Amino acid sequence: MNKLVLFAALCFSTVLFNSCDKTDEAPPTNTDYITKSSWKFSSAKAGGIDVTAQVPACFKDNTMLFAANGTGTINENTIVCTPASPANFTWVFQNNGTQISLNTPLVSGGSGVFTIVLLNDVSLVVSQTMTIAPAPPTTVELTFIH
């Protein structure tokens, strides 16, 4: 019986010490995800329909880099749009991190405020209602990847 009690105490202390060694890391924040590395265009939908083929090549090769201090840069890369995308921007999360606001629109006909559909370590999906003539206002969803 004493051996059983001693064995149980040994098992309990092993579990106790092992659980004390672990440090709980905070889960990544939206800022951690968005500033991890540069983002490149992947796809676009308008009204739920894939419109990636209609996106200009000069936009498709751009990369965006968000800095933790609320600034960012857009690199036009090989194919430069006319007019060129702004090289620098500022950004901030809004509405408890459900939206991101840039001081400049990314797409003609849109605004700088996007609803965040998905943000994780590999994907950034944003949407907004915009008007791209001659179509009526529609929800556009842009997907960016690392």
Side-chain angles (χ1 to χ4, degrees):
M1 181 75 167
N2 285 339
K3 289 181 182 182
L4 183 58
V5 171
L6 182 60
F7 180 72
L10 180 62
C11 288
F12 176 75
S13 61
T14 301
V15 168
L16 181 66
F17 285 120
N18 282 340
S19 66
C20 291
D21 289 342
K22 295 180 182 178
T23 57
D24 293 332
E25 291 184 26
T29 65
N30 278 359
T31 301
D32 294 332
Y33 287 136
I34 206 160
T35 60
K36 180 180 175 183
S37 63
S38 62
W39 296 94
K40 183 173 179 162
F41 174 81
S42 175
S43 64
K45 293 180 183 178
I49 298 169
D50 188 340
V51 294
T52 304
Q54 284 88 14
V55 175
C58 65
F59 183 80
K60 289 179 180 178
D61 81 335
N62 291 358
T63 54
M64 292 186 303
L65 182 62
F66 293 84
N69 67 359
T71 63
T73 56
I74 296 175
N75 187 343
E76 285 274 357
N77 290 319
T78 306
I79 307 169
V80 179
C81 294
T82 304
S85 296
N88 299 302
F89 61 89
T90 59
W91 66 275
V92 64
F93 288 117
Q94 295 181 165
N95 295 330
N96 296 317
T98 62
Q99 292 182 321
I100 186 168
S101 176
L102 285 70
N103 70 328
T104 185
L106 292 178
V107 180
S108 179
S111 74
V113 179
F114 293 89
T115 298
I116 298 172
V117 177
L118 175 67
L119 176 57
N120 60 30
D121 59 342
V122 295
S123 298
L124 168 61
V125 182
V126 294
S127 71
Q128 71 177 212
T129 300
M130 61 178 63
T131 302
I132 303 173
T138 188
T139 299
V140 174
E141 186 176 280
L142 302 173
T143 299
F144 301 89
I145 58 173
H146 286 296

